[in-house]
Amino acid sequence: MRRARIRRVLLEPEALSEGMTARVLEGLGPVPLSLSTEGDGPEEGIPGSPGKDTLHLLVYHGDFLKPCPGTREYICCGYQILNLAANCPLDCSYCILQAYMNRPFLRVFTNVEEGLERALSLIDAEPGRIFRVGTGEFTDSLALDPLTRWTQTLLPAFSTRKNAVLELKTKTTRIRGLLGAPVRERIIVSWSLNSEAIAGREEKGAPGIEARIRAAARCQREGYVTGFHFDPMIEHPGWEEGYARTVALMKRHLDPRKIIWISLGSLRFMPGLKALLRRRHPESRILDSEFILGMDGKMRYFKPIRMDLYRTLARLLRGWYEDLGLYLCMESDEIWQDGLGWSPGDSAGLSGYLDGRVRLFFG
Amino acid sequence: MQRDTPLRAVALERAARVDIDPGLLIPETPGPYTMSEGGSLETLCASLEAVGLLCPPVLRTSGKGPVEIVLGYRRILALKALGARTVSCLQVPGEALPPVEALCMAFYDNLATRSFNSLEKGMVLRRLCAFFPERHVIDVFMPRLGLPRRPETLHVLTACDAHLEGPARGALANGTLSLDSARRLLEAEAGERDMLTDVILSFRLNLNQQARFLELLKDLAPAEGGFRGALDAVGLEDLRGDLDLNLPQKADALLQRLRHRRYPRLLQAEEAFRREVVALDLPKGVKISAPPFFESPSYRMEILFRDGRELMRHLQTLSRQERIGALRDPWKPGTP
């Protein structure tokens, strides 16, 4: 995997005294550093040029733990996002962050210990509820871990909670921090998977599929529960074969009994992303297929295409192992029925199903 | 009161009256203060013929360079078109009228007497950007042109003036090409731009059709080997030569063919569903429709009726229609 090349650091004065700041600067070595103010970002940023070679260290004043916004029109999983950073050193053509982020640069929040404390107090306040928490919504959970050492901070904190799990979602193979951690309990390490063709062409900077699966296998051997996310599935020439090859690699390397869940989701994006994508990734072919405006205002594949994608992948995965905790991300009851042969009915039903998987794996 | 530029009416105090051959004043490309492009001279010619030249154009000498037209470019053009041998002008020495003041003079003179077309707005803004910071142009001059204070709008308009050529330039000036279409055309290579403009103009696509045409083509181009490939794939030349269709029908057909190419499965489903509904032979006043893009799981039936008896009749007719029970998503097996 290509290392993220950080060419400069912007440091907010408020972040100077944070332990995270010292850790990151020590890990980076000699890189030009300048002090920033909160206002630096938007003015310097050019829309669609997210400045991935600039690391912005700053104190985050918002809520660290937030429910995934989801959508009312489709069935959502009730996930909680632990917000540690924004933007990602990888450069996937389809990345929604290109359209969502109104501030440029890789932004790492330095007050993570304080934020984590607040998040945990919210979790502890509801002992009867299961919190499925992830850090991989607004950034890759592990891509910056060699610098930020999030794993050192987060894993011990979550491993002692009986009503929460922490899911670290990644496309990388940066698992050294995980392997060195003293705990495994209530931690899920998840990989985003695709066909090798999509990984090679559309996921710039990310390792190939086999490397990801080998990293997952290593984590399994080291005692971690794993998850996988085929999201976004992309219709492309030879997609059936492409996804079948990925499943074959999973079969070869992974123990299916150590997989808590596998989500399936197809490419969807806010309409505004299209122009950005064309400008930033002119070689991308992901817009070639038939997209319609979904009920949530996002562009998504025409329904029978999505059904076909899910049916095919579900068949491949179930042909390997029946109990993989398959679920769909942001789809309707109708598509659940057609694609997976059952439906949780609504978002509460899906939450209940995934909470059940958590209990099954972690008690 | 804050001013955009120092008010220096003194410039005209040093003006001398000169009579010049209009043919000598019209450069091959518009001069640095010209803010007119496109638009008919017909009304202006009629005025000049009726009452003569009321306001003399203002010229500026610039060292050894050619005399520049500051005000009155269109008047000079019209007089030339009318065959006038000389035009009576006010000529100001360059040192009495610095370029930035000449530009502001031209801007406010035009602004007070007429509206600008989109191309002219781009021309004006590009010239202003040479003398003023971009932020100042956005905050001060754009509102005066009736434009939003948005950098994106400034960039599109100035790019139109800088890069649009030939028929596209003329079409933007006369309003047959929308600014949005011009923006989309600018994203194409120069050669392709001419070809796309030719299609837009020859099929007389309205502004809404232009947007759909360019969006569909842009979606199709990567898979079809470019815009030309996409247009060939839908039989553009055959359509052009089709004697059975008039121009509006050809425009509709072109867009429909592009849509079929872009959304083959969606359109196939729409057509299959439409055929199925037609075959139901529904009573008059009863309509069955699919949700937009078939995305929602529910179809809709509307029944228009004047009274309960008519509603009962409709319901009885519908209940006898066995074929209704076979209605299904058009992509599912068993759909005709």
Side-chain angles (χ1 to χ4, degrees):
Chain A
M1 177 194 163
R2 281 206 312 251
R3 283 187 68 85
R5 284 175 301 175
I6 305 297
R7 294 186 195 279
R8 67 167 180 155
V9 174
L10 282 176
L11 177 59
E12 199 180 78
E14 210 182 341
L16 261 170
S17 57
E18 301 283 355
M20 168 74 79
T21 303
R23 275 206 299 277
V24 169
L25 293 179
E26 185 194 342
L28 269 177
V31 173
L33 171 75
S34 51
L35 285 182
S36 78
T37 63
E38 186 58 17
D40 276 355
E43 282 74 20
E44 287 196 31
I46 300 161
S49 302
K52 288 171 185 277
D53 56 357
T54 297
L55 184 66
H56 192 180
L57 298 171
L58 69 162
V59 169
Y60 182 61
H61 295 288
D63 294 332
F64 270 76
L65 189 68
K66 282 184 195 164
C68 176
T71 169
R72 256 179 295 179
E73 289 77 10
Y74 297 97
I75 297 174
C76 292
C77 67
Y79 204 61
Q80 298 283 325
I81 298 168
L82 186 62
N83 199 4
L84 305 178
N87 262 331
C88 166
L90 310 180
D91 197 18
C92 302
S93 62
Y94 52 73
C95 180
I96 55 162
L97 299 180
Q98 297 170 100
Y100 280 154
M101 294 295 168
N102 58 2
R103 285 163 181 266
F105 313 141
L106 298 175
R107 293 155 54 83
V108 169
F109 307 135
T110 52
N111 53 333
V112 60
E113 279 90 355
E114 173 214 334
L116 181 62
E117 205 171 298
R118 278 189 276 145
L120 293 173
S121 68
L122 290 173
I123 290 170
D124 293 343
E126 291 188 73
R129 175 181 166 194
I130 289 183
F131 285 80
R132 282 173 282 107
V133 180
T135 59
E137 296 301 301
F138 297 136
T139 189
D140 184 286
S141 294
L142 295 178
L144 292 172
D145 193 52
L147 286 177
T148 59
R149 295 179 227 163
W150 284 320
T151 44
Q152 283 183 10
T153 313
L154 301 179
L155 268 55
F158 275 89
S159 68
T160 55
R161 259 73 197 180
K162 293 298 171 201
N163 65 331
V165 285
L166 175 69
E167 182 177 30
L168 301 167
K169 282 188 197 173
T170 188
K171 288 190 182 89
T172 75
T173 53
R174 293 185 171 165
I175 55 174
R176 192 175 295 173
L178 284 174
L179 300 183
V183 294
R184 302 289 185 267
E185 192 60 18
R186 306 198 80 84
I187 306 300
I188 301 158
V189 195
S190 293
W191 271 265
S192 174
L193 294 179
N194 222 304
S195 76
E196 194 61 73
I198 292 298
R201 198 178 56 224
E202 309 288 350
E203 297 176 345
K204 287 190 209 93
I209 295 300
E210 183 156 7
R212 295 181 213 177
I213 291 173
R214 282 179 182 274
R218 178 83 196 276
C219 283
Q220 285 190 336
R221 287 196 300 276
E222 295 281 343
Y224 280 103
V225 169
T226 53
F228 294 92
H229 300 279
F230 282 89
D231 195 354
M233 291 187 73
I234 292 174
E235 191 194 34
H236 59 284
W239 66 266
E240 296 99 327
E241 270 179 39
Y243 286 116
R245 272 200 292 274
T246 298
V247 174
L249 284 173
M250 295 173 81
K251 274 186 204 176
R252 190 183 312 156
H253 295 289
L254 295 168
D255 180 348
R257 294 165 302 171
K258 293 178 180 169
I259 297 174
I260 186 168
W261 48 55
I262 299 180
S263 77
L264 281 54
S266 60
L267 180 61
R268 54 207 178 274
F269 53 88
M270 293 306 288
L273 182 68
K274 196 167 155 182
L276 273 177
L277 198 154
R278 277 182 180 147
R279 192 165 71 238
R280 292 200 64 239
H281 305 279
E283 73 296 341
S284 171
R285 301 301 297 271
I286 63 171
L287 296 175
D288 286 359
S289 194
E290 293 178 61
F291 293 94
I292 55 97
L293 190 64
M295 293 185 288
D296 55 355
K298 287 183 189 162
M299 305 303 293
R300 43 180 71 219
Y301 289 128
F302 178 40
K303 197 154 68 180
I305 300 173
R306 277 150 48 210
M307 289 171 163
D308 200 13
L309 287 167
Y310 299 143
R311 262 198 315 267
T312 303
L313 186 54
R315 180 175 43 76
L316 289 166
L317 288 167
R318 283 175 177 152
W320 169 35
Y321 191 72
E322 190 54 42
D323 189 25
L324 287 169
L326 299 190
Y327 70 98
L328 300 184
C329 186
M330 290 193 196
E331 281 296 0
S332 63
D333 178 71
E334 181 191 17
I335 298 226
W336 268 85
Q337 293 288 357
D338 187 280
L340 298 189
W342 76 283
S343 167
D346 55 23
S347 296
L350 177 55
S351 270
Y353 170 70
L354 295 175
D355 291 350
R357 297 290 296 180
V358 169
R359 286 191 200 95
L360 187 68
F361 275 71
F362 296 107
Chain B
M1 184 181 134
Q2 276 197 320
R3 299 191 191 287
D4 306 328
T5 185
L7 193 64
R8 297 245 329 240
V10 288
L12 293 184
E13 288 169 10
R14 292 185 56 187
R17 193 168 279 273
V18 291
D19 290 334
I20 298 186
D21 175 356
L24 297 176
L25 284 173
I26 303 299
E28 282 183 11
T29 54
Y33 312 113
T34 305
M35 294 177 178
S36 299
E37 186 160 339
S40 166
L41 293 174
E42 201 177 327
T43 310
L44 187 53
C45 285
S47 159
L48 288 166
E49 281 186 308
V51 295
L53 181 65
L54 300 177
C55 292
V58 175
L59 311 178
R60 177 180 181 273
T61 56
S62 58
K64 290 179 186 170
V67 173
E68 297 162 343
I69 302 171
V70 179
L71 306 178
Y73 178 74
R74 294 179 78 247
R75 276 166 275 164
I76 296 168
L77 272 183
L79 284 164
K80 188 184 169 199
L82 290 171
R85 289 187 187 168
T86 58
V87 187
S88 185
C89 302
L90 293 175
Q91 186 164 295
V92 185
E95 67 274 14
L97 187 59
V100 64
E101 289 183 29
L103 185 66
C104 286
M105 185 184 280
F107 174 66
Y108 285 107
D109 180 69
N110 277 278
L111 195 65
T113 53
R114 69 187 185 91
S115 57
F116 293 95
N117 65 48
S118 293
L119 188 70
E120 290 170 336
K121 286 178 183 174
M123 186 187 274
V124 169
L125 291 171
R126 197 152 76 99
R127 283 165 189 195
L128 290 166
C129 282
F131 291 99
F132 296 95
E134 182 175 300
R135 196 68 251 172
H136 185 80
V137 173
I138 290 170
D139 287 340
V140 174
F141 292 108
M142 288 182 70
R144 292 190 176 155
L145 288 166
L147 295 168
R149 289 186 175 101
R150 295 182 61 221
E152 297 80 13
T153 308
L154 173 70
H155 299 152
V156 169
L157 285 163
T158 53
C160 284
D161 177 50
H163 303 298
L164 273 192
E165 290 172 349
R169 194 173 178 87
L172 180 64
N174 68 28
T176 49
L177 188 72
S178 72
L179 181 61
D180 180 56
S181 300
R183 177 186 62 75
R184 290 165 191 264
L185 284 174
L186 284 172
E187 290 167 10
E189 299 292 326
E192 291 174 320
R193 216 177 285 158
D194 290 344
M195 184 262 295
L196 296 174
T197 307
D198 173 61
V199 177
I200 287 172
L201 298 181
S202 61
F203 281 74
R204 289 195 205 148
L205 301 183
N206 63 35
L207 303 190
N208 181 30
Q209 288 173 322
Q210 289 169 23
R212 280 159 53 210
F213 169 73
L214 291 171
E215 187 60 24
L216 285 165
L217 266 188
K218 194 174 275 187
D219 280 352
L220 286 167
E224 304 279 8
F227 294 119
R228 170 49 74 187
L231 287 169
D232 287 346
V234 298
L236 175 76
E237 295 311 321
D238 292 346
L239 192 56
R240 237 190 247 280
D242 191 332
L243 299 176
D244 293 332
L245 299 176
N246 63 28
L247 211 45
Q249 288 169 332
K250 285 183 186 181
D252 285 341
L254 174 61
L255 289 172
Q256 192 60 7
R257 287 184 189 190
L258 287 168
R259 197 162 171 258
H260 264 282
R261 191 82 183 169
R262 178 71 186 90
Y263 302 106
R265 286 166 285 191
L266 174 62
L267 267 70
Q268 195 180 8
E270 285 177 355
E271 279 165 20
F273 181 75
R274 188 188 53 77
R275 278 199 306 272
E276 189 69 357
V277 170
V278 167
L280 291 176
D281 196 20
L282 297 169
K284 199 175 171 188
V286 178
K287 190 175 144 190
I288 291 178
S289 54
F293 315 114
F294 298 94
E295 181 61 10
S296 156
S298 302
Y299 293 86
R300 173 187 291 265
M301 175 183 275
E302 288 174 17
I303 303 177
L304 295 179
F305 57 94
R306 274 171 292 191
D307 52 30
R309 289 168 64 86
E310 190 178 21
L311 175 60
M312 286 295 290
R313 266 205 310 281
H314 282 333
L315 292 174
Q316 282 160 4
T317 309
L318 288 169
S319 70
R320 286 194 297 271
Q321 273 273 18
E322 285 184 12
R323 210 175 162 138
I324 286 181
L327 258 185
R328 70 187 85 190
D329 292 331
W331 54 85
K332 288 198 171 147
T335 304

